[in-house]
Amino acid sequence: MTVLAHMSDLHLDGGAATADRVRRVVDHLTGLPGGVDAVLVTGDLADHGTEEEYREAREALAPLRDRYRVLTCPGNHDSRPEYRAVLLGLPAGTAPVNEVHEVGGVRVLMCDSSIPGRAEGELTPGTLHWLDTTLAAAPDQPAFVA
């Protein structure tokens, strides 16, 4: 059986209250007695999409990475260039950050819902096409879509 933990909408913003809330969830997850195959962190890791907020997210999630595999994807409050550079260690860019990962025999499809320069989010036609194609490539393998 594949066990996934899920966190969403961290909205880290440099504030003490937000950091404390995230720390409590991270502490809870790292203290679980059973195994977790991966922790999914979906959307809105940052509140304003700044490099400082992504550094805060990277540091806040570090205890989880020490124990579990951590998978992230951007949401409507996230900024792709800063997300890529700080969290993924990749060159900044504005293309969608859609990723598929194998976790315990299950495919986890992490879909980017951010829209560069806008506050709202959506799954664009390109992301939906990627999702359809990726799911069709292994129709008999279980999959989670985040």
Side-chain angles (χ1 to χ4, degrees):
M1 170 177 31
T2 301
V3 178
L4 302 173
H6 179 224
M7 298 173 65
S8 184
D9 294 278
L10 306 183
H11 286 278
L12 288 162
D13 60 2
T18 304
D20 183 58
R21 177 179 43 82
V22 172
R23 182 195 50 75
R24 285 180 299 170
V25 173
V26 168
D27 288 349
H28 175 77
L29 291 174
T30 58
L32 290 174
V36 172
D37 295 299
V39 177
L40 311 182
V41 186
T42 56
D44 299 344
L45 282 78
D47 198 47
H48 303 96
T50 67
E51 287 185 15
E52 294 80 17
E53 291 171 343
Y54 292 113
R55 282 193 287 276
E56 183 181 6
R58 185 179 60 212
E59 291 173 23
L61 298 173
L64 290 175
R65 284 194 166 93
D66 290 343
R67 183 159 180 194
Y68 307 121
R69 187 170 177 191
V70 177
L71 308 177
T72 63
C73 67
N76 64 296
H77 281 253
D78 290 305
S79 177
R80 292 174 184 170
E82 292 83 1
Y83 175 94
R84 284 177 187 280
V86 177
L87 289 181
L88 302 180
L90 298 172
T94 58
V97 184
N98 298 316
E99 298 180 316
V100 61
H101 303 273
E102 298 283 333
V103 178
V106 173
R107 293 185 325 147
V108 178
L109 289 75
M110 305 294 282
C111 300
D112 182 348
S113 65
S114 65
I115 303 171
R118 295 177 54 191
E120 68 271 16
E122 73 174 329
L123 295 179
T124 64
T127 292
L128 292 173
H129 175 74
W130 171 84
L131 180 60
D132 287 342
T133 302
T134 304
L135 288 170
D140 297 327
Q141 186 176 13
F144 289 99
V145 177

